[in-house]
Amino acid sequence: MAGSDPLPSWNEGSTKQSILDFVRGVTTAGEPYFVTPEERIAVFDNDGTLWSEQPFYFQVAFVFDRMKAMAPEHPEWKDNPLYTAVLAGDMKTVAAGGVKGLLELATITHAGMTTEEFAKIAADWIVSARHPKFDHLYTDVIYQPMLELLAYLRANGFKTFIVSGGGVEFMRVFAEKVYGIPPEQVIGSSIVTKFEMVDGVPVLTRLPELNFMDDNVGKPVAINMHIGRRPIAAFGNSDGDLQMLQWTSGGTGSRFGLLVHHTDPLREYAYDVSPLGKLEVALTEAAAKGWTVVDMKNDWNRVFAFEA
Amino acid sequence: MAGSDPLPSWNEGSTKQSILDFVRGVTTAGEPYFVTPEERIAVFDNDGTLWSEQPFYFQVAFVFDRMKAMAPEHPEWKDNPLYTAVLAGDMKTVAAGGVKGLLELATITHAGMTTEEFAKIAADWIVSARHPKFDHLYTDVIYQPMLELLAYLRANGFKTFIVSGGGVEFMRVFAEKVYGIPPEQVIGSSIVTKFEMVDGVPVLTRLPELNFMDDNVGKPVAINMHIGRRPIAAFGNSDGDLQMLQWTSGGTGSRFGLLVHHTDPLREYAYDVSPLGKLEVALTEAAAKGWTVVDMKNDWNRVFAFEA
């Protein structure tokens, strides 16, 4: 690292310094809060933390595109106000359906095929669909400073995990290539899968039933289930990440919590409340607990790699 | 590896050769079935595959010891035939209760505390309880040839996972030290945990309710959920591992399946059918699918490290 800046997209200041100080403290032998490499677990929310979540979660765009592709085979959808709203692009009605409505839409579009078939559908979509504002692939609408942070942590012996409310099998089709995070380190929401032999071939079939919702109190539960160690660093951007940050910072020794605050209406978006999430309680607790809050507008000199 | 035998406890012969041939084939660049390191996933059952499972699953011994420790606070247990059978050491009655009875016992002894409290209870037990036949710690009653196999695979770029019907939080207290398998690579059965703040402190409380049974058809489901890649090698010893081996060997390219057959009544045990599991369907399918079957008596020149 000597002489080179591991976080060039981060402006100098207390935010960047808090990251550097934490990492130096837990990785320097002899320091009071030194942590052995195997305990250097860092967990990242995805939507709004590693990539954008506006104007709506990117996986919602995938759901809508799937609905449109499937609609010709489902004439009965015309009698369902939520389904017709999706097909008409009536986002207001869709938003009014809330998380419950979205879960229903996700379930019908994400089930009824094998895991391999689903992975192919998602992989085909992610290399072709484009973000409505930026006109780039969704996998380009990721935060350059967070990519640098992931690489910096890994270079310092950290194991980086995604812990997201997004669908685990959706994220896994791009997480390794885009974030350098392998499938076994991606934790997310899921629907039920069923093992069966079909014509002598073993398959996992995706069923239209929620298995686990990896949000809010679900995040520490999933961390414990999948990782089995308490992270020493957690990165989020909304109240859905609050319990993950609480759980992480509740351990002994040096702990790091960070919230990405979306304050840049020009280069990205400025919001505390989005149709499906908000940053409110966690922001108050950040002040009390000493978590780092990224002021995107002022702390990042670059948001996306595609910027001029 | 040049000049030294990576598997010294394995006798020369077709069993050992099948392992060496498989590993050479998937790790040698230019070979038709070469596999990149990140796809080198190997999954291991635990009970009867990495350590012994006789005269009963070691975790059952833990359950019984917990019952005895908890009994003074539960005078009402005297009215329950299953509970009194455990306290009286009446294994016949306990066995007659089957998996259902054991699950009930596991649930009442494994719930009602935080995850950290449970880990301490399990860790204290595992460093003190002794196996009834061998009079060694249970963590000494592990198969030396399988330890060599784990190390050999890892030396060849494999990531090794446990995928066991045993309790995930029970196995994690010893798996890293004993097998070199970190908590995040241990997959097992689980009960429900709940995140809550207790006096301002975040805890995960263990509830008396089964969350997931990682056996039979559950194993490929858990592999997909936790790892998100199909393994290229799977190691088991009973029909409970059948679907894991089917799922593993159902992929393309070179695949390796192995069953440990308990054929040594002197150094270990000889059985196809145990009170809670059997090796029957999987043994037949091994012949049809070309899976390797370890004849413990003849294929291993050493079973346990504590042997003279």
Side-chain angles (χ1 to χ4, degrees), chain A residues 38 115-116 159 161 169 172 176 182-185 190 193 195 197 202-204 211 217 220-221 224-230 243 246-247 250, chain B residues 38 115-116 159 161 169 172 176 182-185 190 193 195 197 202-204 211 217 220-221 224-230 243 246-247 250:
Chain A
E38 58 270 23
T115 49
E116 295 194 336
K159 209 169 194 174
F161 288 80
E169 301 207 53
R172 280 173 174 161
E176 188 159 33
E184 62 269 27
Q185 286 162 225
S190 57
T193 61
F195 177 85
M197 301 294 292
V203 297
L204 289 165
N211 176 61
V217 293
V221 168
N224 185 60
M225 177 65 60
H226 287 254
I227 307 177
R229 307 190 207 253
R230 196 192 292 233
Q243 292 82 0
Q246 288 174 328
W247 177 242
Chain B
E38 58 270 24
T115 50
E116 296 194 336
K159 208 168 194 174
F161 288 81
E169 300 207 53
R172 279 172 174 161
E176 188 159 34
E184 61 270 28
Q185 287 161 227
S190 57
T193 61
F195 178 85
M197 300 295 291
V203 296
L204 289 165
N211 175 60
V217 293
V221 168
N224 185 62
M225 178 64 61
H226 287 253
I227 307 177
R229 304 190 209 255
R230 196 191 293 233
Q243 291 83 359
Q246 289 174 328
W247 177 242

Side-chain angles (χ1 to χ4, degrees), chain A residues 43 48 77 80 192 225 271 280 282 291 302-303:
Chain A
V43 288
W77 285 0
N80 184 310
V192 174
M225 177 65 60
Y271 62 97
E280 196 168 62
W291 299 334
R302 182 177 216 178
V303 177

Side-chain angles (χ1 to χ4, degrees), chain A residues 50-244:
Chain A
L50 293 180
W51 72 1
S52 183
E53 61 182 357
Q54 295 290 354
F56 33 70
Y57 294 141
F58 295 176
Q59 195 172 357
V60 169
F62 171 67
V63 166
F64 291 179
D65 285 349
R66 287 297 303 150
M67 293 286 287
K68 287 165 194 162
M70 294 166 70
E73 290 167 44
H74 295 276
E76 76 281 7
W77 285 0
K78 70 172 175 13
D79 302 321
N80 184 310
L82 180 60
Y83 298 0
T84 53
V86 170
L87 298 176
D90 172 7
M91 295 305 297
K92 203 172 154 186
T93 300
V94 175
V99 171
K100 188 168 169 291
L102 271 187
L103 272 179
E104 181 186 335
L105 297 171
T107 300
I108 62 164
T109 52
H110 284 55
M113 71 290 277
T114 69
T115 49
E116 295 194 336
E117 288 163 349
F118 177 78
K120 184 172 183 332
I121 292 168
D124 288 346
W125 182 84
I126 204 80
V127 297
S128 59
R130 298 180 85 81
H131 188 278
K133 172 172 174 176
F134 299 110
D135 193 27
H136 274 274
L137 293 179
Y138 286 104
T139 49
D140 289 335
V141 189
I142 58 178
Y143 306 127
Q144 179 63 23
M146 296 305 285
L147 283 185
E148 294 168 5
L149 180 55
L150 284 168
Y152 172 58
L153 289 172
R154 289 195 290 259
N156 279 280
F158 279 78
K159 209 169 194 174
T160 53
F161 288 80
I162 288 175
V163 180
S164 168
V168 63
E169 301 207 53
F170 176 75
M171 295 186 288
R172 280 173 174 161
V173 305
F174 61 84
E176 188 159 33
K177 187 177 170 204
V178 173
Y179 301 132
I181 298 180
E184 62 269 27
Q185 286 162 225
V186 177
I187 302 167
S189 298
S190 57
I191 59 177
V192 174
T193 61
K194 181 188 177 189
F195 177 85
E196 52 192 351
M197 301 294 292
V198 176
D199 300 329
V201 177
V203 297
L204 289 165
T205 303
R206 295 169 59 83
L207 305 184
E209 183 186 339
L210 183 67
N211 176 61
F212 186 80
M213 190 69 200
D214 188 28
D215 202 17
N216 300 293
V217 293
K219 291 202 175 193
V221 168
I223 287 169
N224 185 60
M225 177 65 60
H226 287 254
I227 307 177
R229 307 190 207 253
R230 196 192 292 233
I232 63 169
F235 304 83
N237 80 301
S238 80
D239 286 354
D241 302 311
L242 173 63
Q243 292 82 0
M244 176 168 82

